[in-house]
Amino acid sequence: MDDWRPEDTAFWERTGARVARRNLVLSVLCEHIGFSVWSLWSVLVLFLGPEYGIDAAGKFLLTALPTALGAVLRLPYTFAVAVFGGRNWTVFSALLLLVPTVAAGVVLEPGVSYGTLLAVACVAGVGGGNFASSMANINAYYPQRLKGWALGVNAGGGNLGVPAVQLLGLLILATAGAGHPRLLPLLYIPLICLAALGAALRMDNLTALRNDKRAMRDVCREPHTWVVSALYIGTFGSFIGFGFAFGQVLQVQFHDRFDTPVKAACLTFLGPLLGSLVRPVGGLLADRWGGARVTMGTFAAMAGGALLVLTASRQGSLPLFLTGFVALFLFSGVGNGSTYKMIPAIFRAKAAAAVARGADPDTAERESRRRASALIGIAGAIGAFGGVLVNVAFRQSFQTSGNGDAAYLAFLIAYALCLVLTWAVYLRPRRRTPAP
């Protein structure tokens, strides 16, 4: 599509809204399956009983590797949309999900080497890259006033892939039993094919989305890039990291109450489900109150949740522990939406300032979109590394002390630092100098 003017109200009401909505629906579907494949091993580790010979530390590594690869792939995936087109890349990236699902369906059986499992788990990281390309694509379709909502729906629908795969895993554990882990990845093969077919038939390529090759370099020189990326480590990094690790944490921390995989799986999906559902709420709140205010509030709430989890861990209280973790999932979901809303808002403000200084409005708007799309990819990649840090923190804490207290304390300190950073950069009152 060569003619795309979402800020033009007449164009939007006549054509734009319908086309954007169609692309959003298919984008959510493909991203949803991508998230399911990315978090596949958060469920598969529950199937790995004593016959596989893997301890708790080894299982945390199996969930950390796909998180790491997904984070790395988010950078090239962001710019793949601009190079190949939104529809074209969505089809290709969806079909690429067949590799980790087929591989997992082939190798999962007792006697398989740990190195083979690490390699197959790592390949599942391709599902994490889909988020960045999907968000960069949808960002270009919607006008500024609706970006918070659209990005929240797109990301929230994708995030729902985490609890979806965990619910399917629970269903298999409860019916077929822990001896049939292959069923889970094999269920996704027809879904992947259908999603790729829908994208091929109904999505579009936007000519206006083609960024120049300097977008990444330009954005890397922007201080806001690193501030927003740090905040996204705290929000999305927490969401995806806890989503991958929660089932194992329950089994290790409260092993007397979660002595079977089914018991852990019954609760594993709850946090990611709630966190995914409230992500669009974070975008809507940011549209109304401003992304920085909402983000700072979520970090305050997440610090409270981490303190609650730490207290519950020391007291051995399961109800308090679950309450704290649900709070962490909920507020990380809200923070995901509000932090991403900040990205287009930052560059929109810079574009308005440039126009006030005499810049061409159309050029300033194109530059705003170009940089926002680039930052979406960078922040998404760096934020996903937060999930790696979460799993590494849990692995180290349980390996050295047998509990997660050190990890919970580290999370509490990190959220407090993110709160201070948000206030210092975006909300701290500043002395205004009179204009000449």
Side-chain angles (χ1 to χ4, degrees), residues 56-129:
K59 291 180 181 180
F60 277 118
L61 187 57
L62 281 172
T63 56
L65 281 179
T67 315
L69 181 62
V72 171
L73 289 179
R74 286 186 168 195
L75 290 177
Y77 267 57
T78 299
F79 295 98
V81 171
V83 175
F84 301 105
R87 179 189 63 190
N88 299 344
W89 186 254
T90 301
V91 173
F92 173 79
S93 61
L95 291 175
L96 195 59
L97 299 174
L98 291 171
V99 176
T101 49
V102 171
V106 170
V107 306
L108 272 172
E109 60 180 357
V112 62
S113 70
Y114 183 59
T116 300
L117 291 179
L118 286 176
V120 174
C122 186
V123 175
V126 297

Side-chain angles (χ1 to χ4, degrees), residues 112-354:
V112 62
S113 70
Y114 183 59
T116 300
L117 291 179
L118 286 176
V120 174
C122 186
V123 175
V126 297
N130 288 22
F131 173 84
S133 56
S134 178
M135 293 293 276
N137 189 38
I138 292 304
N139 179 63
Y141 275 96
Y142 279 84
Q144 179 68 25
R145 68 183 184 279
L146 296 176
K147 281 186 186 294
W149 173 84
L151 293 176
V153 168
N154 189 59
N159 291 170
L160 280 171
V162 180
V165 72
Q166 291 171 345
L167 280 169
L168 281 175
L170 172 61
L171 179 63
I172 293 171
L173 283 169
T175 55
H180 299 83
R182 293 179 174 183
L183 292 177
L184 183 58
L186 294 179
L187 281 176
Y188 275 92
I189 293 176
L191 298 178
I192 292 168
C193 295
L194 288 174
L197 179 62
L201 295 178
R202 299 291 292 163
M203 288 189 75
D204 302 290
N205 295 317
L206 287 183
T207 305
L209 194 59
R210 294 191 175 275
N211 299 334
D212 64 54
K213 305 299 182 182
R214 300 188 306 274
M216 174 92 68
R217 185 183 65 189
D218 291 346
V219 170
C220 285
R221 295 172 178 171
E222 171 61 59
H224 288 289
T225 296
W226 309 111
V227 175
V228 172
S229 296
L231 300 180
Y232 204 56
I233 288 175
T235 56
F236 181 76
S238 296
F239 171 83
I240 199 64
F242 295 149
F244 278 41
F246 190 42
Q248 295 178 74
V249 170
L250 285 177
Q251 282 195 302
V252 179
Q253 186 92 36
F254 297 94
H255 53 84
D256 54 331
R257 303 190 191 186
F258 298 96
D259 53 346
T260 66
V262 176
K263 291 181 180 179
C266 285
L267 293 174
T268 298
F269 73 93
L270 181 61
L273 174 63
L274 294 174
S276 301
L277 291 175
V278 300
R279 180 159 185 160
V281 175
L284 287 171
L285 290 174
D287 283 338
R288 181 175 178 82
W289 303 106
R293 289 188 181 89
V294 177
T295 299
M296 191 176 77
T298 60
F299 279 126
M302 289 174 70
L307 180 59
L308 195 60
V309 169
L310 177 60
T311 303
S313 175
R314 291 178 173 175
Q315 294 179 356
S317 171
L318 179 59
L320 201 62
F321 188 83
L322 293 176
T323 301
F325 253 108
V326 167
L328 285 172
F329 276 112
L330 275 171
F331 289 108
S332 66
V334 173
N336 287 340
S338 62
T339 304
Y340 249 52
K341 165 62 180 176
M342 292 170 64
I343 295 174
I346 288 169
F347 291 109
R348 179 77 172 184
K350 286 181 171 290

